[in-house]
Amino acid sequence: MKPVKVGICGLGTVGGGTFNVLKRNAEEIARRAGRGIEVAQIAARSSNPQCDATGTPITDDVFAVADNPEIDIVIELIGGYTVARELVMRAIDNGKHVVTANKALIAVHGNEIFARASEKGVIVAFEASVAGGIPIIKALREGLAGNRINWLAGIINGTGNFILTEMREKGRAFEDVLAEAQALGYAEADPTFDVEGIDAAHKLTILASIAFGIPLQFDKAYTEGITRLTTADVGYAEALGYRIKHLGVARSTAVGIELRVHPTLIPADRLIANVNGVMNAVMVNGDAVGSTLYYGAGAGMEPTASAVVADLVDVTRALTTDPTNRVPHLAFQAEQLSDHPVLPIGECESAYYLRIQAKDHPGVLAQLASILSERGINIESIMQKEAEEHDGLVPVILLTHRVKEQRIDDAIAAFEALDDVVGSVVRIRVEQLN
Amino acid sequence: MKPVKVGICGLGTVGGGTFNVLKRNAEEIARRAGRGIEVAQIAARSSNPQCDATGTPITDDVFAVADNPEIDIVIELIGGYTVARELVMRAIDNGKHVVTANKALIAVHGNEIFARASEKGVIVAFEASVAGGIPIIKALREGLAGNRINWLAGIINGTGNFILTEMREKGRAFEDVLAEAQALGYAEADPTFDVEGIDAAHKLTILASIAFGIPLQFDKAYTEGITRLTTADVGYAEALGYRIKHLGVARSTAVGIELRVHPTLIPADRLIANVNGVMNAVMVNGDAVGSTLYYGAGAGMEPTASAVVADLVDVTRALTTDPTNRVPHLAFQAEQLSDHPVLPIGECESAYYLRIQAKDHPGVLAQLASILSERGINIESIMQKEAEEHDGLVPVILLTHRVKEQRIDDAIAAFEALDDVVGSVVRIRVEQLN
């Protein structure tokens, strides 16, 4: 069979990696796919020193690739929402299949993109948009297709995990590690997307849709970053037998879907608590399979290219498939998506780590405990540290049982109204992830 | 679209689980697959109390299912090589697709079965044959299709991992834990397949074929069980910063493929070293993606059923696919499998843990070290323990660098010929799994 012709739009890190992997492993890929995959055109504003594309036609106009009649599959690797969206729509309208690594685009405009793709009978594949080279989209959409998914929880931002790992292992402060991550190139000059959890929320939105068969609803995801985490809390968590990880959590409950990104205490003996540095991991719990975990590099030139190329092989195979019988974009048939609502954070349920800075007076602990008990919140454990020398305040750390978040909000407000409590209460969610 | 009709052959643990999952998640599965999956017939010699199959036609003749003109997909869950092989061949000859959980059948007769299936244009799917509910076959065949796989290493026998976990955590002896595992139903009355590594070798044979695109060659797999492991070695490994796991390891080298099952020291901080109890995990290292890991329940009623049902959904989708354009059985096009040879164990390379029982004489260490150095074997570390009270012998533990196994065989023979060395040298392979 003659080779499939693909066009790479964007020759940055992932684009360069994709070109290199397609070239280096061309023979192996053809032995798998049954036909070659040939880069017929590249659109790039500048060349990439890590990638020798001599001999491949290059344009600076991405739309030229979308309009190129020779090309079967357009690979969108330019990022962002604006030009990328136009490019993908143009490719679809031209009857071309699309492979993209763009989580922001899929999380925000995916519903519209998939609707148009279905109309035109083409595939938009997006394995590379979540967790780099880990084939987590495929695991959820196909590998676990027999399951009703109960929940998933993932370390899906490598920069954030690198920062938390350094804070724990070396006792370094957040700002300090962030500056190093920027110097190493792990974090962007503007690190907001990473450290405020927006990047993770994009990915979680995608994972939740394909896990539960709901439309993409990025605007409903609760997002809390790691910027306010202190080494003190990292240390107290450790003393209690926990690690703090920045997790995306999605859970299906009787009343709706929880969709939340936040720092989370996880028991130290869980595998996912031991995923360190820039690595990613996603746990998925299904009613038949129980808990599973998928681990690997969540970003980088070739790990992400690995996912792009896997999608290219899939699409290559699907070129001769009955379009009504493909794996649906969001795992479930488009007309059978669920309208189960995404819950506001106040309606979500978890256990909590609360740190209260209290004056060293007798009776404080009793006041705190009675505020919780009046609200039906059970205490799992209490740890009271020595008074700190410089201010004479006593850190009191409480772990609660699982409870609806709004009840904890209420308890925190009551804590902060006490004369013996100083400043804001620190609240970090706790998940057992059995 | 009208439902796909499937026949379940064998209503034991996995068969009952498959029936239950198909029934409980029928609506969810149809929302994914675009059509229902209906159990049209069951073949079983007796009923399964964990499974209410009232209303489904039951026969005691598995061949009646293979011959049933109503049935599209035959699910082989009877196990063994003999009747299972006939059943699968009969189903294929009747133009039916097959889903099986039978690792022994695939590892031993897979080449013949896949050849016949390709001739007849049908699929034989076998996700459930390796690592239960973990979608590892799909990850290797599809999710990592852009990679040249360098190596894989897996904990792929839950019984063995349960025994090793108990030995380490509780200091219990092998025989003691095995007896408990049998009482708990984790181990068979005849535990040979589990504890001698045969079950793991079946699974490793399958994984290696789809990783490297080689024919199934179970007879060439090196297989060493866990029956000779002592709590002493488990403890020494721990003191050196390692855990002992029973691994299946497959590695592609310039001269051939390593295919070996044996106890293995792994650095304690690797995720896979922390996979405990009956759980399974497989690491896969690809040239683009780097190291990835897949974790979950490797056996059990519903975890295995999860894999069977995922295969059913895949086959259901493929019913309308061009048969020449499906995912090949062994990941690579049948006519393009590689003849890269499987290496004999003497040609394989790893690092080694050696424990020598030596008389407490001066100069023993120097003799041991010079035997290694004469053979070009570098020492990574040496640990000499106190003389044991009852026999006055000193355990000497050596960790070597990576070297070809036949050189270690030679060094061990030389050790054992020394007057100051008593009994056999204990040899356990060491893998870093970076």
Side-chain angles (χ1 to χ4, degrees), chain A residues 1 21 24-25 27-35 127 132-135 138-149 210-214 269 271-272 274-275 279 281 283 287-297 302-307 309-311 313-314 316-322 324-328 331-333 336-338, chain B residues 1 21 24-25 27-35 127 132-135 138-149 210-214 269 271-272 274-275 279 281 283 287-297 302-307 309-311 313-314 316-322 324-328 331-333 336-338:
Chain A
M1 241 194 295
V21 170
R24 186 177 71 233
N25 291 348
E27 191 198 322
E28 184 108 345
I29 292 166
R31 279 177 63 214
R32 290 176 182 270
R35 58 198 289 198
E127 179 66 80
I134 308 172
K138 184 171 283 282
L140 271 170
R141 291 205 310 191
E142 306 173 41
L144 304 177
N147 291 264
R148 185 176 294 269
I149 304 298
I210 61 177
F212 308 126
I214 56 172
D269 64 356
L271 278 195
I272 197 169
N274 294 282
V275 170
M279 301 306 281
M283 287 187 77
D287 68 342
V289 76
S291 285
T292 59
L293 177 140
Y294 310 84
Y295 163 90
E302 292 214 350
T304 311
S306 168
V309 175
D311 273 349
V313 173
D314 269 2
T316 295
R317 289 213 174 93
L319 291 176
T320 58
T321 312
D322 171 2
T324 65
N325 214 9
R326 291 177 184 146
V327 181
F332 295 76
Q333 303 293 319
Q336 295 198 47
L337 292 185
S338 150
Chain B
M1 243 195 293
V21 171
R24 186 177 72 233
N25 291 348
E27 192 197 323
E28 184 107 346
I29 292 166
R31 279 177 62 215
R32 291 177 181 268
R35 59 199 289 197
E127 180 67 79
I134 307 172
K138 184 171 281 285
L140 271 170
R141 291 205 310 192
E142 305 174 40
L144 303 177
N147 291 264
R148 187 177 293 270
I149 304 299
I210 62 177
F212 308 126
I214 55 172
D269 65 355
L271 278 195
I272 197 168
N274 294 282
V275 169
M279 301 304 281
M283 287 187 76
D287 68 342
V289 76
S291 285
T292 58
L293 177 140
Y294 309 84
Y295 163 90
E302 293 215 350
T304 311
S306 167
V309 176
D311 273 349
V313 173
D314 269 2
T316 295
R317 289 213 174 94
L319 292 176
T320 58
T321 311
D322 171 3
T324 66
N325 215 10
R326 291 177 183 144
V327 180
F332 294 76
Q333 303 294 319
Q336 296 199 48
L337 292 186
S338 150

Side-chain angles (χ1 to χ4, degrees), chain A residues 184-252:
Chain A
L184 288 172
Y186 292 163
E188 307 286 332
D190 175 1
T192 313
F193 267 46
D194 288 327
V195 299
E196 294 295 1
I198 300 163
D199 175 74
H202 284 143
K203 294 165 181 169
L204 181 69
T205 299
I206 296 170
L207 291 178
S209 280
I210 61 177
F212 308 126
I214 56 172
L216 294 149
Q217 294 164 77
F218 171 67
D219 55 327
K220 305 235 176 84
Y222 172 79
T223 306
E224 184 179 311
I226 56 173
T227 53
R228 287 174 302 168
L229 272 185
T230 65
T231 49
D233 290 311
V234 171
Y236 295 144
E238 191 86 5
L240 289 161
Y242 290 83
R243 301 269 166 87
I244 300 182
K245 292 292 181 187
H246 197 205
L247 286 190
V249 178
R251 188 187 306 267
S252 178

